[in-house]
Amino acid sequence: KPLVAVAQVTSTPDKEQNFASCSALVREAAFRGACLVFLPEGFDYIGCDPAETLALAEGLDGDLMGRYTELARECGVWLSLGGFHERSHDWETTKRIYNCHVLLDPAGKMVATYRKTHLCDVELLGRVAMKESSFTNPGSEIVAPVKTPAGKLGLSICYDLRFPEISLALCSAGAEILTYPSAFTIPTGSAHWEVLLRARAIECQSYVVAAAQTGQNHERRMSYGHSLVVDPWGAVVAQCREGPGLCYAEIDLEYLHRVRREIPVSRHRRSDLYGTIGL
């Protein structure tokens, strides 16, 4: 059974420090036999404000992604880079970036890029205020699942977790593992993180892998952590402790397909009815 590793990190505005921390975790995971390593949203950095976030962003052809390409080759592992601050082709006109989930194979080839489609604009009075759309462009498409040694991987990012439509679409396209690399806040994470991840696993009968930011990213931001893996029955089979580190899980696709046979929700789904209420 293939082994996957899920990294939990505390990114700061210091890109060099973040790369040192992430690359050490990737090397440790590779040494322990993981074929696929998941890093969270903002693995490259978390800026103190939108201006700093924009200033630190790079293109996918920049130095930092080049270093991760070399890291994948050096370690011989797949890398799920769960949320890269990307300056894309429209940077000069929009002055906004994309939140981009990059998948690298062991040769360092960029086999998939998914740009976050649901942007986190929320305000919990007196607790949390975010407006991701003020500096980020939304992605325009869901990316087809990618075949990896652990299974077919469906790419999402953080706030996408709140929209089951994307996970159901990925599963109908063949996904066996759903990914939600994240940087949840403490108020939303303590209330919703685990229950949403388990719900996605149960309704899609898929593995769910969620690498997360943890701890004090900068003076104005704390992240919830609790990186975890959920199996297709909805059981949490791996979870990180407090602070940076790794957790590991075996992916059992035979078990996944048994769950899908025993409760065949994909065959029972009434797609002929959904979206037609009142018409």
Side-chain angles (χ1 to χ4, degrees):
K1 298 171 189 174
L3 185 71
V4 302
V6 186
Q8 183 163 278
V9 304
T10 305
S11 294
T12 71
D14 187 335
K15 293 165 76 172
E16 285 298 319
Q17 178 185 346
N18 299 334
F19 179 75
S21 299
C22 289
S23 59
L25 291 174
V26 170
R27 290 188 178 96
E28 179 181 343
F31 177 77
R32 290 175 177 264
C35 65
L36 176 55
V37 186
F38 295 84
L39 294 178
E41 181 182 36
F43 70 94
D44 50 351
Y45 63 88
I46 291 184
C48 290
D49 53 46
E52 183 173 50
T53 299
L54 292 172
L56 291 172
E58 299 182 21
L60 293 178
D61 58 352
D63 173 70
L64 185 60
M65 192 53 66
R67 292 163 76 179
Y68 276 98
T69 296
E70 289 297 322
L71 182 65
R73 281 201 286 261
E74 172 195 333
C75 295
V77 295
W78 289 72
L79 288 181
S80 163
L81 304 176
F84 178 77
H85 297 85
E86 179 201 5
R87 287 192 185 186
S88 193
H89 63 280
D90 56 2
W91 165 252
E92 292 300 326
T93 54
T94 68
K95 297 301 180 184
R96 297 181 185 212
I97 58 176
Y98 290 88
N99 191 338
C100 185
H101 186 162
V102 179
L103 186 64
L104 302 177
D105 72 10
K109 180 183 177 183
M110 198 175 296
V111 295
T113 53
Y114 164 74
R115 293 166 179 88
K116 189 176 182 182
T117 51
H118 301 95
L119 301 183
C120 186
D121 290 359
V122 301
E123 186 171 1
L124 308 182
L125 292 178
R127 294 185 291 168
V128 174
M130 290 186 189
K131 195 168 179 60
E132 191 175 15
S133 66
S134 68
F135 59 91
T136 306
N137 293 312
S140 59
E141 63 178 351
I142 301 172
V143 175
V146 179
K147 187 176 182 181
T148 76
K152 292 180 181 177
L153 197 66
L155 306 184
S156 300
I157 304 172
C158 198
Y159 192 58
D160 290 330
L161 174 60
R162 294 185 181 274
F163 303 88
E165 295 88 349
I166 186 171
S167 59
L168 291 169
L170 287 166
C171 283
S172 69
E176 296 162 319
I177 305 168
L178 300 171
T179 61
Y180 295 101
S182 297
F184 259 61
T185 66
I186 289 176
T188 57
S190 58
H192 300 151
W193 174 248
E194 183 176 314
V195 69
L196 282 173
L197 291 166
R198 294 182 70 191
R200 296 297 85 86
I202 293 166
E203 69 200 6
C204 294
Q205 299 175 312
S206 298
Y207 280 92
V208 166
V209 179
Q213 292 285 336
T214 186
Q216 190 85 43
N217 303 107
H218 52 71
E219 61 184 17
R220 295 197 302 277
R221 181 186 170 87
M222 287 276 293
S223 293
Y224 179 65
H226 295 79
S227 302
L228 53 79
V229 181
V230 187
D231 76 11
W233 191 249
V236 176
V237 294
Q239 188 167 12
C240 285
R241 299 177 179 178
E242 296 298 319
L246 291 160
C247 65
Y248 298 88
E250 289 183 333
I251 303 298
D252 187 344
L253 294 182
E254 287 188 14
Y255 176 63
L256 178 147
H257 292 298
R258 192 185 95 196
V259 169
R260 291 182 177 183
R261 283 194 308 271
E262 292 178 344
I263 308 179
V265 293
S266 63
R267 294 208 310 269
H268 297 158
R269 185 161 284 118
R270 290 295 304 274
S271 56
D272 59 316
L273 297 181
Y274 309 143
T276 62
I277 296 173
L279 298 181

